[in-house]
Amino acid sequence: MSSSSHLEQHGSYIIHMDKSAIPAPFLNHDSWYASTLASLSNQYGNAPIHLYTYKHVLDGFSAVLSKSHLDQLVTIPGHIATYPEQFGQLHTTHTSKFLGLKNHAGLWPAGSFGDDMIIGIIDSGIWPESESFNDHGMPPVPSRWRGNCERGTEFNSSNCNRKLIGARSFSKAIKQLNLTISMPGDYDSPRDFFGHGTHTSSTAAGSRVENVDYFGYAKGTATGVAPLARLAMYKVLFLNDTLEAAASDTLAGMDQAIEDGVDLMSLSLGFQELTFADNPIAVGSFAAMEKGIFVSCSAANDGPESYTIQNGAPWITTVGAGTVDRSFLASVKFSNGVVTITGKSFYPEDLLVSGVSLYHGHDNASKNCENNSLDSNDVSMKIVFCSFNNKTKVDDQMEEVYRSGAKGAIFATDSAQFLFPQDFYMPFVAISPIDGGKVEEYLTTSLEASVDIKFQITKLGTKPAPQVADFSSRGPSKRAPWVLKPDILAPGVDILAAWVPNRREVPIGDDYLFTDYTLSSGTSMASPHVVGVAALLKSAHRDWSSAAIRSAMMTTADVIDNANGQILDLANGTSGTPLDFGSGHINPNKALDPGLVYEIKVEDYVNFLCALNYTSQQIKVITRRSNYRCDQANLDLNYPSFIVILNNTNTTRYVFKRMLTNVVDSQSVYRAAIWAPSGMKVVVEPMTLTFGSKYSKAGFTMEVEIDLSGYRAKTDYIGNYGYLSWYEVDGKHVVRSPIVSAFAI
């Protein structure tokens, strides 16, 4: 807000209070906080504005305050800390088949398709009329549910049903910060304007919908990962100039989700952080974890650089994005009838391109499609062939074709994998440089070159898949590098899911098309896949903790792709590492029966914070615990993965201590198997673990020694990794954990 000589600058703040310091006259904390705000004076007469009182995620409230209010607040007994408002950004159905989910075997029937599980989605709202949220055949809402369906702009209680059982909106903070929501910017209600929340919700738990497609691509039946699970939407993201979430609103949404009784949460957004104490998602998810709520979060889209992970708190399951075995193509046939090639395309119209002239420039074909290289008179009503040119980006070539007024284009490029549906706003086809060479050879022998193009082709079984998406953020975590992040990889590229039908989605020349279902990409799309799998696992194993669910997913994840090779990094075409994909790509059916799990207690996380040298104030902000004594500070969490943070010496040695828990109804014996690269020595003691009845435990130590001598640069060793696998003797279970090295920054 503006300031002047008679008006102080105001801002929104999150205030942490010590609940044990409540004065005797107050009957509850809400009245104490209200009285505290009322007591704050201001020489200009501007009163504080109360936003939210929090019940679960933190002890305290949020409010709009002036500088003089803040100065007074810190002197009030019971005040712990105040953090200024911050803003987070968002980070998208064949995937159920790609994940191996089947109607009559494996995790789907074992987890009752997610029945009775309630998933809270913290996002941009929901479009309740979408067929993905129909409640046909669903039983009554669980009696333990305490939430409701709020009324608001173009939204009322009748929009909820037995699938979408709750919908709320949290916008107080973003409104007070002069970002007032007004049409057509967004709906001041749980209704989704942008589409992101509708997409993530239907991915996690959408109902089965037949005959779904994206303008002729990806035709089939759409279904969420946990199709019988219930959904509750907590809208905290609002579209202004950008889609943003205020920290105060996000905490309020998470707080309400806990109060309402969700079993799981998924957040596909992130905040910048200096510590976990100033990150609203880290703070809110700690409270959720304490109450047995599984929390899945997107890893962010800042890859492929290292140390770009967000949502890296160890009590959060952090998810990276991978490709699936499905590609979208166009077939190009040339007039000689001999050369036929396929290339990537999402052009959304069943356009008949038959016998259309092919243009390839004049004197210097290598400069074809560079800026201002095409003459409108030459290319009108023709398909332009743009030669491979490593000096000109393919999107710049696309802009030149559009400027010239050509009918469409074929691009020879090595960047086709980085193109998204919205890039194909004209009849465009992206082919490989090798196929581009075939086209050039054809052009040299043809006087009247022409092409036929067939769009809307979907190919399944593409290999290799999965690959790590180039945009997916990479580890280690800047804030806690001693825990390997991301935890796991899940589908996050060209995911088909529900969308808002009244938003202009696909550009076609100067016009736009609308759609009920769209293809979207991001770690935003990966997180709801994992929360859906977690809902199935929680339904099948009601006594499993969030740590056990995460462990089951991690230790059974796939590290081999569908071409029987190592999972590749799409950014450079080379083998990925656990810094890219964590423990591997999620395999739901294997996670149903992991054999052993790594459990983590709440106190272990607190001791981890102590080892990070967090102050007592920061620990109190995150845990809401007063006077916690850090007598057992420990960076070595009982985590299902291992990371060695290297120093500047030639040798680094670290000893890990772990405890495994048996989760099957039988006795068992496991033996360790180690695979380690050159320069990494791994010793496990003991090499054999024996388990008695269900929930019996056995511990081991693992010493890892890294020898950096012989490497030209220490950075050459970053990402080198091995595996520790526990094989069940005379049994089927294999419990695998990655061991990776990295330098701290």
Side-chain angles (χ1 to χ4, degrees):
M1 294 183 178
S2 62
S3 61
S4 65
S5 59
H6 62 279
L7 183 64
E8 273 194 299
Q9 183 78 27
H10 281 61
S12 180
Y13 297 88
I14 298 168
I15 300 95
H16 296 262
M17 303 290 285
D18 184 353
K19 291 181 70 173
S20 65
I22 183 172
F26 296 103
L27 298 177
N28 55 59
H29 295 90
D30 199 32
S31 60
W32 176 34
Y33 302 150
S35 176
T36 298
L37 285 174
S39 70
L40 303 179
S41 61
N42 188 294
Q43 60 179 317
Y44 302 116
N46 298 315
I49 301 173
H50 177 256
L51 298 177
Y52 303 101
T53 291
Y54 303 105
K55 297 180 180 179
H56 304 282
V57 294
L58 60 89
D59 293 335
F61 58 96
S62 57
V64 177
L65 305 170
S66 68
K67 176 61 168 60
S68 59
H69 293 149
L70 290 172
D71 293 340
Q72 298 169 68
L73 188 62
V74 297
T75 66
I76 291 177
H79 174 267
I80 296 174
T82 295
Y83 290 94
E85 190 68 83
Q86 56 175 314
F87 295 92
Q89 279 75 42
L90 59 86
H91 284 171
T92 124
T93 323
H94 164 73
T95 53
S96 59
K97 183 177 180 180
F98 181 62
L99 293 173
L101 294 170
K102 300 178 180 179
N103 285 331
H104 304 295
L107 183 56
W108 253 357
S112 303
F113 300 88
D115 183 31
D116 202 45
M117 291 292 105
I118 303 171
I119 302 175
I121 305 290
I122 318 295
D123 214 298
S124 67
I126 197 163
W127 193 267
E129 293 85 0
S130 170
E131 272 301 301
S132 285
F133 309 124
N134 76 71
D135 62 353
H136 304 328
M138 296 195 72
V141 175
S143 59
R144 57 192 169 85
W145 176 242
R146 300 183 295 272
N148 65 33
C149 208
E150 289 183 354
R151 298 182 63 181
T153 306
E154 298 192 30
F155 204 97
N156 58 56
S157 59
S158 64
N159 290 123
C160 288
N161 56 21
R162 288 173 294 177
K163 162 61 72 174
L164 177 63
I165 63 174
R168 299 178 185 265
S169 177
F170 301 86
S171 59
K172 291 180 181 179
I174 206 164
K175 286 179 182 177
Q176 289 295 333
L177 295 174
N178 205 26
L179 299 174
T180 303
I181 302 159
S182 59
M183 293 296 291
D186 205 330
Y187 301 103
D188 192 7
S189 75
R191 183 170 292 278
D192 191 4
F193 180 85
F194 186 78
H196 190 266
T198 300
H199 199 282
T200 55
S201 298
S202 60
T203 299
S207 299
R208 180 183 174 90
V209 184
E210 296 182 353
N211 302 317
V212 168
D213 67 90
Y214 171 81
F215 300 106
Y217 297 93
K219 291 182 179 179
T221 299
T223 183
V225 177
L228 291 187
R230 316 308 175 103
L231 284 165
M233 170 53 63
Y234 299 86
K235 181 177 177 178
V236 301
L237 281 157
F238 291 86
L239 185 66
N240 217 10
D241 293 331
T242 60
L243 196 64
E244 288 186 315
S248 299
D249 295 333
T250 302
L251 277 167
M254 298 180 77
D255 193 73
Q256 190 63 58
I258 296 172
E259 176 73 12
D260 289 346
V262 303
D263 300 299
L264 310 96
M265 284 190 210
S266 179
L267 295 94
S268 291
L269 67 152
F271 292 80
Q272 297 296 327
E273 64 185 5
L274 295 176
T275 69
F276 296 140
D278 59 30
N279 184 338
I281 295 177
V283 171
S285 60
F286 190 95
M289 174 272 300
E290 282 189 299
K291 295 182 181 296
I293 299 170
F294 178 92
V295 181
S296 171
C297 290
S298 51
N301 301 328
D302 298 320
E305 289 76 18
S306 300
Y307 286 99
T308 53
I309 285 287
Q310 292 185 3
N311 297 320
W315 48 87
I316 293 172
T317 298
T318 312
V319 189
T323 64
V324 298
D325 65 337
R326 180 175 61 185
S327 53
F328 304 103
L329 308 168
S331 175
V332 183
K333 182 179 180 180
F334 296 88
S335 56
N336 63 1
V338 176
V339 180
T340 300
I341 58 178
T342 58
K344 183 172 185 176
S345 184
F346 293 93
Y347 186 67
E349 292 186 330
D350 190 13
L351 177 69
L352 178 62
V353 176
S354 179
V356 177
S357 296
L358 185 64
Y359 176 84
H360 190 226
H362 295 297
D363 299 329
N364 192 343
S366 65
K367 291 187 177 181
N368 190 226
C369 301
E370 290 186 357
N371 187 37
N372 292 318
S373 65
L374 300 177
D375 189 314
S376 299
N377 295 322
D378 294 335
V379 302
S380 178
M381 301 303 296
K382 296 179 180 179
I383 298 293
V384 178
F385 173 66
C386 298
S387 303
F388 175 66
N389 184 343
N390 57 14
K391 295 181 180 179
T392 304
K393 295 180 179 179
V394 66
D395 52 347
D396 292 333
Q397 292 182 321
M398 288 176 166
E399 289 184 12
E400 173 60 13
V401 172
Y402 174 69
R403 183 204 62 79
S404 71
K407 186 177 184 67
I410 303 167
F411 304 92
T413 175
D414 58 1
S415 302
Q417 67 268 35
F418 306 127
L419 296 174
F420 295 105
Q422 289 74 18
D423 294 319
F424 293 82
Y425 49 86
M426 289 182 66
F428 290 155
V429 184
I431 65 175
S432 70
I434 293 176
D435 284 337
K438 296 177 183 178
V439 176
E440 290 184 6
E441 182 179 349
Y442 158 72
L443 288 168
T444 61
T445 61
S446 178
L447 296 177
E448 297 292 335
S450 64
V451 294
D452 298 341
I453 304 178
K454 170 61 178 173
F455 294 97
Q456 298 180 331
I457 298 174
T458 300
K459 180 182 177 182
L460 301 179
T462 301
K463 296 182 179 181
Q467 299 181 61
V468 183
D470 59 297
F471 56 77
S472 186
S473 287
R474 316 302 168 95
S477 163
K478 287 183 180 179
R479 306 306 163 214
W482 300 274
V483 175
L484 175 60
K485 292 287 181 172
D487 292 307
I488 203 159
L489 197 70
V493 177
D494 295 332
I495 305 303
L496 182 71
W499 199 245
V500 292
N502 64 344
R503 181 186 169 200
R504 300 190 309 172
E505 171 63 7
V506 183
I508 296 295
D510 295 326
D511 202 357
Y512 284 85
L513 300 178
F514 299 82
T515 180
D516 291 333
Y517 288 81
T518 197
L519 295 166
S520 192
S521 299
T523 57
S524 283
M525 285 68 237
S527 177
H529 279 91
V530 168
V531 84
V533 173
L536 297 171
L537 291 172
K538 197 175 183 73
S539 178
H541 301 286
R542 300 295 177 124
D543 55 346
W544 279 13
S545 67
S546 295
I549 292 172
R550 178 177 58 220
S551 175
M553 292 190 288
M554 290 174 65
T555 61
T556 61
D558 292 329
V559 295
I560 301 298
D561 61 30
N562 63 356
N564 293 319
Q566 295 181 352
I567 294 176
L568 299 178
D569 181 352
L570 192 63
N572 53 34
T574 61
S575 296
T577 79
L579 297 177
D580 308 318
F581 54 69
S583 293
H585 190 274
I586 191 168
N587 186 319
N589 292 325
K590 287 184 179 179
L592 173 64
D593 184 19
L596 308 174
V597 297
Y598 292 84
E599 275 285 10
I600 304 176
K601 298 178 181 179
V602 175
E603 289 73 17
D604 298 330
Y605 292 121
V606 183
N607 291 330
F608 181 79
L609 295 174
C610 292
L612 291 177
N613 294 318
Y614 276 31
T615 65
S616 58
Q617 174 182 296
Q618 290 171 321
I619 292 175
K620 185 179 291 187
V621 164
I622 298 170
T623 69
R624 306 171 314 286
R625 299 185 181 202
S626 300
N627 303 318
Y628 187 86
R629 297 183 60 182
C630 288
D631 296 331
Q632 301 182 47
N634 185 14
L635 283 175
D636 186 23
L637 278 171
N638 195 44
Y639 221 73
S641 57
F642 303 87
I643 183 167
V644 179
I645 300 301
L646 304 173
N647 55 30
N648 291 320
T649 64
N650 284 334
T651 303
T652 295
R653 175 181 171 274
Y654 195 85
V655 177
F656 298 91
K657 295 182 179 180
R658 292 290 191 272
M659 182 72 67
L660 282 161
T661 301
N662 182 28
V663 290
V664 297
D665 294 316
S666 62
Q667 298 179 351
S668 57
V669 177
Y670 285 79
R671 288 184 183 146
I674 300 163
W675 179 85
S678 175
M680 178 185 287
K681 180 181 178 181
V682 180
V683 177
V684 174
E685 291 288 345
M687 289 287 287
T688 300
L689 298 178
T690 301
F691 297 89
S693 60
K694 190 176 184 179
Y695 301 128
S696 60
K697 300 178 182 294
F700 67 93
T701 62
M702 184 177 74
E703 180 180 323
V704 180
E705 189 172 339
I706 306 293
D707 184 3
L708 295 175
S709 61
Y711 286 87
R712 291 172 299 175
K714 291 183 174 64
T715 52
D716 291 346
Y717 198 86
I718 293 178
N720 260 21
Y721 68 96
Y723 285 101
L724 165 66
S725 298
W726 290 99
Y727 286 85
E728 185 180 15
V729 177
D730 299 325
K732 63 180 181 178
H733 298 105
V734 179
V735 184
R736 183 181 54 246
S737 297
I739 311 165
V740 68
S741 63
F743 282 94
I745 59 172

